[in-house]
Amino acid sequence: MKFARSLAVFAYLAIATVLAFASPLAHAAPAMALAAAGGIVWGGLLLVSHVYTGRLAAISVPSQLKLDQILQGAAIKALKRVLLPLLSLSTVFRDVPLRGTDTVQVPFIPLQQTTSLDFDYDVGYEQGDGTLNTLPITINKRKYQPIAITSYQLARQPILELEEIIVKKVEQLAEDVIGDIFANVTHANYGAAAVIADPSSWDSDTIGDTLRKAANDAMWPKMGRSLVVNTAVDGNLMTDTSFKAAYAYGDNGVVQEGKLPRTFGFDYQECPVFPDNGEDLIGFAALRFALLTAFAPIAPTPAVRSVMVDYRTATDEDSGLTLEYRLFGSAQGDLEQHTVEVNYGSAPGDPAQLLRCTNSEGE
């Protein structure tokens, strides 16, 4: 190490010598050349000292900017990733607080099963029903994950993996939210299950024959079909030789990515969380308006905000999905309390647009 430092000093001295005696600057303005040489030597020595003694100062990034980067980056991506199955359903994401109401109008179009009319030249066209509707969804669910950090922890462990902690909390928050929303998928809301089979028995035929036939018999349109299954079903489908050989039609995602492509007309999604509502739900096939969901933040009032340290939101630009963050301190507890929060509401949509799947013990 001493040799390296000495070599660096020698290099800087050589540069200083050139500037001081051999460069055109030395002949035109000797004083300026000598000052420049001195500056280079001083800066070089300082840099070498800091590098080799471990005192090189890190670039300081303001803590507020770091927090923005965490929330708007990894945290909102984690939230969106877990809530991905909702993107195939009728969901409205609001990135601004509601004013004067707690409801959001969510688009709703029922399955079109009315028989077409024959034109009557004596009567003309008959008046039809409206096909574009909205239903009010009440934002009445408020889930959050707390993160408590004590003064002792900050003093003894100043380098806390705050980003990792927040992301893990957001992932758990998202799982709890989507599990609560999927609790709407019940026998009472959507009728008897279309598929009753143990997850270990699911294969390509279960989707291609049983579920696809049920959707066709229900006169579902070919486009816009989605299939959401739990991890047990997904794990069994991953071992199905028909899906493993997906490379035969240009997609090797099952083997390389552990991800099924669009299969038998269904956009496929695996979800780790399904409700424990006593009905043994393991999956469902759906069209867009089967289940309606809305999200909207609830900002603290000025009086509440005045006693908080921080409040901010992170929003996904594509969907408008918003994650809320709050920070306040507790003098009695000698800690600071961070929270990540989501406000939402959901309700069953058109029962004709969802086919339930339960295991062999479900019904």
Side-chain angles (χ1 to χ4, degrees), residues 99 298-309 311 326:
R99 300 297 182 188
I298 299 178
T301 66
V304 174
R305 180 67 187 271
S306 67
V307 296
M308 296 174 60
V309 178
Y311 171 79
R326 286 171 166 81

Side-chain angles (χ1 to χ4, degrees), residues 183-192 277 279 348 351 356 363:
N184 289 288
V185 184
T186 62
H187 182 278
N189 289 332
Y190 295 99
N277 55 11
E279 298 192 2
R356 295 169 59 248
E363 294 176 8

Side-chain angles (χ1 to χ4, degrees), residues 9-332:
V9 171
F10 175 78
Y12 277 105
L13 287 173
I15 295 173
T17 301
V18 171
L19 287 176
F21 302 105
S23 70
L25 180 63
H27 299 287
M32 292 181 61
L34 187 61
I40 290 178
V41 172
W42 179 81
L45 291 174
L46 185 63
L47 177 63
V48 169
S49 174
H50 278 209
V51 169
Y52 285 94
T53 59
R55 296 198 301 266
L56 186 62
I59 297 176
S60 179
V61 179
S63 59
Q64 299 304 311
L65 180 58
K66 290 180 181 179
L67 183 57
D68 278 337
Q69 292 173 342
I70 293 172
L71 294 176
Q72 197 62 51
I76 194 68
K77 289 179 180 178
L79 183 66
K80 184 179 178 180
R81 182 172 60 250
V82 178
L83 297 181
L84 188 61
L86 295 179
L87 298 181
S88 60
L89 300 169
S90 187
T91 304
V92 172
F93 298 108
R94 293 283 298 273
D95 57 357
V96 294
L98 301 176
R99 300 297 182 188
T101 179
D102 61 355
T103 61
V104 174
Q105 298 296 326
V106 178
F108 174 70
I109 303 176
L111 194 64
Q112 303 302 301
Q113 296 177 317
T114 304
T115 304
S116 300
L117 303 176
D118 293 319
F119 187 79
D120 188 330
Y121 285 93
D122 295 327
V123 177
Y125 292 105
E126 296 185 26
Q127 185 174 353
D129 297 327
T131 57
L132 179 59
N133 306 301
T134 60
L135 291 179
I137 300 300
T138 303
I139 306 297
N140 57 0
K141 297 296 182 68
R142 187 172 185 173
K143 289 188 182 295
Y144 70 96
Q145 281 282 340
I147 306 168
I149 302 177
T150 66
S151 298
Y152 176 84
Q153 289 174 315
L154 288 173
R156 297 295 187 266
Q157 302 176 26
I159 304 177
L160 292 173
E161 297 294 340
L162 183 60
E163 178 174 357
E164 185 175 352
I165 295 173
I166 289 179
V167 169
K168 294 299 183 184
K169 289 287 188 178
V170 169
E171 288 176 345
Q172 182 60 54
L173 174 64
E175 290 179 2
D176 293 337
V177 168
I178 200 168
D180 181 62
I181 292 172
F182 285 170
N184 289 288
V185 184
T186 62
H187 182 278
N189 289 332
Y190 295 99
V195 176
I196 302 176
D198 189 88
S200 62
S201 68
W202 274 65
D203 56 18
S204 58
D205 291 336
T206 308
I207 303 174
D209 293 341
T210 308
L211 201 55
R212 181 173 179 273
K213 180 180 183 301
N216 290 340
D217 290 345
M219 301 298 292
W220 280 16
K222 301 299 183 182
M223 299 302 296
R225 299 180 180 184
S226 61
L227 173 61
V228 182
V229 299
N230 70 0
T231 52
V233 172
D234 178 73
N236 202 64
L237 290 176
M238 288 298 118
T239 63
D240 188 301
T241 55
S242 297
F243 289 132
K244 279 186 175 181
Y247 62 83
Y249 56 89
D251 193 319
N252 57 3
V254 176
V255 176
Q256 291 190 352
E257 305 293 338
K259 178 181 178 181
L260 281 177
R262 178 174 169 83
T263 180
F264 296 106
F266 294 96
D267 294 322
Y268 182 85
Q269 296 284 348
E270 177 266 335
C271 181
V273 182
F274 271 78
D276 183 16
N277 55 11
E279 298 192 2
D280 295 319
L281 184 71
I282 59 175
F284 61 83
L287 296 174
R288 181 184 176 190
F289 302 101
L291 183 59
L292 312 179
T293 307
F295 289 77
I298 299 178
T301 66
V304 174
R305 180 67 187 271
S306 67
V307 296
M308 296 174 60
V309 178
D310 196 3
Y311 171 79
R312 65 185 64 200
T313 60
T315 302
D316 175 60
E317 294 182 358
D318 296 331
S319 64
L321 174 63
T322 298
L323 175 69
E324 295 175 75
Y325 169 85
R326 286 171 166 81
L327 172 62
F328 48 91
S330 170
Q332 182 176 1

